[in-house]
């Protein structure tokens, strides 16, 4: 059985950043830029007032000075006339200043009577002017190596960038397998259960920025599997759940091999989730998750999400966080254990406590969990108060 870290290396080796495409700025949130954007203009494009007040020449910026107000400058409507010494203009936030070499006096530091303006007896030394190009200059490059945030889109818009070149979203075909499965909303037969894995995986794919294609459930026979695999054509990644073990009805690996799968591995030293399969199949990468919903979810957290991140040019390794263990635990054994756990705020590091029942059939506990407590193979026992690692569940 492969250690988790080695399995992750092999999984990531199968994935590559997808080709680039250009999308409108409105559609770029959460995408990763493949090439830098260039600012199409200078921001601000002119020196502008940072406050509501009065602009005057620096030579007139004297305590109790008296000036004559000769005009006004507002955002989008600059003052076009001449200003002589001893004169001032009313100016508003964001409005262009009439020329360099002046200051803006805050309106609360003045007294106005008609066109007459008197400055306060005590004046600030702050010019209250945002200089041209204070934010960025035309031609400035912007290329964050992470998904674009709403703040990034605001900056790109200010740079007059209408379209962004980003990595294409991965298309993920999702296949649940098993005669025992029926879709939610349908009455299960006496030996059947409701299919949940595809819904978990599809939501994870979409949360990571991918496009999920949920395909029909494949029965436990070769013809059904071939048919559903054929429906997966065109996907960048095929994710199956179930049928990846060694039982007589676990046919996914066999049929995938008949269709060209080059298998990388299929057993991992972890729990839950030992039977995991990965490899290349035609033009896609295949990731075969266990059929158990908890095992499938944990494996998707550890392997599917990093693959999707790499395909989109994102940082693809999630570093574990640290917490204080809330209870004693025995030794881990030969497989790294990812235990469903709750987190509580505490002074310093948070406190993490695993559920007493770690049965991998308990989806209700998975829904309540905040994190996966990582107990490395061969380690332990662990004492309450020990510092441990965990992965947050979002």
């Amino acid at each position: 059985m492969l250690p988790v870290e080695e399995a992750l290396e092999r999984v990531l080796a199968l994935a590559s950043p997808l080709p680039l495409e250009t999308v409108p700025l409105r559609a770029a949130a959460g995408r990763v830029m493949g090439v830098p954007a260039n600012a199409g203009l200078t921001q601000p494009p002119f020196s502008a007032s940072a406050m509501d007040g009065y602009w005057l020449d620096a030579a007139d910026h004297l305590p109790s000075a008296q000036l004559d107000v000769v005009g006004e400058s507002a955002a989008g409507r600059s003052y076009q006339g001449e200003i002589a010494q001893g004169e001032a203009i009313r100016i508003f936030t964001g409005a262009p200043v009439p020329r360099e070499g002046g200051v803006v006096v805050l309106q609360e530091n003045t007294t106005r009577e008609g066109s007459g303006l008197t400055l306060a007896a005590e004046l600030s030394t702050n010019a209250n002017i945002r200089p041209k190009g204070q934010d960025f200059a035309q031609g400035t490059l912007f290329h964050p190596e992470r998904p674009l945030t709403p703040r990034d889109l605001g900056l790109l818009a200010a740079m007059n960038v209408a379209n962004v070149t980003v990595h294409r979203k991965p298309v993920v075909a999702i296949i649940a397998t098993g005669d025992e499965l029926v879709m939610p909303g349908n009455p299960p037969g006496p030996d059947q259960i409701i299919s949940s894995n595809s819904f978990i995986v599809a939501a994870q794919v979409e949360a990571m920025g991918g496009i999920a294609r949920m395909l029909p459930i494949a029965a436990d026979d070769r013809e059904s599997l071939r048919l559903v695999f054929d429906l997966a054509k065109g996907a960048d990644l095929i994710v199956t759940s179930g049928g990846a073990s060694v039982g007589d009805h676990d046919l996914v690996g066999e049929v995938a091999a008949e269709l060209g799968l080059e298998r990388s591995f299929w057993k991992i030293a972890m729990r839950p989730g030992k039977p995991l399969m990965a490899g290349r199949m035609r033009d896609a990468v295949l990731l075969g998750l266990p059929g158990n919903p908890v095992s499938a979810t944990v494996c998707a957290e550890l392997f599917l999400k990093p693959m999707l991140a790499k395909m989109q040019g994102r940082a693809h390794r999630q570093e574990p966080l640290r917490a204080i263990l809330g209870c004693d635990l025995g030794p881990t054994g030969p497989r790294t254990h990812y235990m469903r756990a709750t987190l509580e705020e505490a002074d310093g590091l948070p406190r993490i406590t695993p559920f007493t029942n770690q049965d991998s059939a308990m989806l209700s506990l998975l829904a309540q969990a905040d994190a996966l407590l990582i107990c490395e193979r061969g380690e332990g026992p662990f004492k309450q108060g020990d510092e441990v690692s965990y992965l947050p569940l979002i």
Side-chain angles (χ1 to χ4, degrees):
M1 292 187 293
L2 283 179
V4 172
E5 192 59 34
E6 184 177 344
L8 180 58
E9 291 289 346
R10 293 198 190 184
V11 161
L12 290 175
L14 296 169
S16 300
L18 293 174
L20 303 179
E21 63 181 3
T22 299
V23 300
L25 183 60
R26 180 69 180 82
R31 309 290 290 274
V32 179
M33 295 175 66
V35 296
N38 289 274
L41 45 70
T42 294
Q43 179 67 17
F46 43 75
S47 294
S49 177
M51 300 287 181
D52 290 345
Y54 294 87
W55 182 94
L56 46 110
D57 192 277
D60 290 326
H61 190 228
L62 300 171
S64 304
Q66 295 184 339
L67 301 103
D68 188 28
V69 179
V70 296
E72 179 180 289
S73 181
R77 292 185 293 106
S78 63
Y79 177 75
Q80 298 296 319
E82 297 292 327
I83 303 176
Q85 193 165 348
E87 295 178 337
I89 62 166
R90 182 76 165 104
I91 197 166
F92 297 93
T93 303
V97 300
R99 65 170 185 262
E100 300 301 321
V103 299
V104 173
V105 179
L106 273 62
Q107 61 186 23
E108 54 264 36
N109 292 334
T110 65
T111 302
R112 174 88 180 263
E113 292 186 9
S115 64
L117 182 72
T118 302
L119 305 188
E122 294 185 10
L123 298 174
S124 168
T125 58
N126 194 334
N128 298 309
I129 293 173
R130 297 177 180 133
K132 178 181 179 179
Q134 172 182 270
D135 201 355
F136 53 81
Q138 185 173 3
T140 296
L141 299 181
F142 182 64
H143 190 190
E145 295 181 359
R146 52 169 170 73
L148 291 171
T149 67
R151 302 182 303 280
D152 296 328
L153 267 57
L155 175 58
L156 287 163
M159 288 178 161
N160 203 24
V161 175
N163 299 291
V164 184
T165 301
V166 295
H167 289 279
R168 181 169 61 76
K169 289 186 175 185
V171 177
V172 183
I174 302 165
I175 304 171
T177 68
D179 292 336
E180 76 279 14
L181 300 179
V182 295
M183 291 292 284
N186 294 313
D191 300 318
Q192 291 184 308
I193 58 174
I194 303 297
S195 176
S196 58
N197 289 2
S198 293
F199 293 88
I200 296 169
V201 173
Q204 289 175 317
V205 168
E206 289 166 351
M208 287 293 295
I211 299 171
R213 286 171 47 195
M214 227 163 75
L215 301 184
I217 296 170
D220 286 323
D221 66 73
R222 283 179 163 77
E223 189 56 38
S224 179
L225 281 166
R226 287 193 190 95
L227 176 62
V228 179
F229 272 130
D230 193 57
L231 295 175
K233 285 180 179 177
D236 303 297
L237 175 61
I238 301 170
V239 179
T240 66
S241 62
S245 190
V246 293
D248 293 339
H249 299 285
D250 294 326
L251 302 174
V252 173
E254 293 181 21
V255 173
E258 293 169 7
L259 297 174
L261 174 68
E262 300 172 15
R263 190 184 308 201
S264 177
F265 62 86
W266 72 278
K267 280 187 179 180
I268 301 178
M270 62 175 285
R271 60 182 176 129
K274 181 176 82 169
L276 185 99
M277 178 175 60
R280 291 192 179 279
M281 180 175 164
R282 298 187 294 224
D283 296 328
V285 177
L286 183 139
L287 182 68
L289 303 176
N292 180 290
V294 174
S295 301
T297 302
V298 172
C299 287
E301 288 285 335
L302 295 178
F303 302 105
L304 173 60
K305 285 187 173 182
M307 292 177 80
L308 293 171
K310 186 175 180 182
M311 287 179 167
Q312 297 173 85
R314 298 168 59 169
H316 44 268
R317 284 190 174 277
Q318 183 182 13
E319 293 300 325
L321 304 178
R322 303 294 286 175
I324 299 301
L325 187 59
C327 64
D328 293 343
L329 290 174
T332 304
R335 291 188 286 159
T336 299
H337 196 180
Y338 293 85
M339 305 181 74
R340 285 154 286 169
T342 58
L343 286 171
E344 296 177 86
E345 291 296 326
D347 293 335
L349 295 176
R351 181 168 56 253
I352 188 166
T353 306
F355 292 109
T356 301
N357 188 344
Q358 289 291 322
D359 190 317
S360 62
M362 298 284 287
L363 262 176
S364 58
L365 295 183
L366 180 63
Q368 297 173 51
D370 303 309
L372 294 174
L373 169 63
I374 305 171
C375 296
E376 296 288 351
R377 61 180 186 150
E379 293 188 358
F382 305 91
K383 296 294 184 182
Q384 181 177 347
D386 285 350
E387 192 172 318
V388 292
S389 297
Y390 73 93
L391 293 174
L393 290 173
I394 299 173

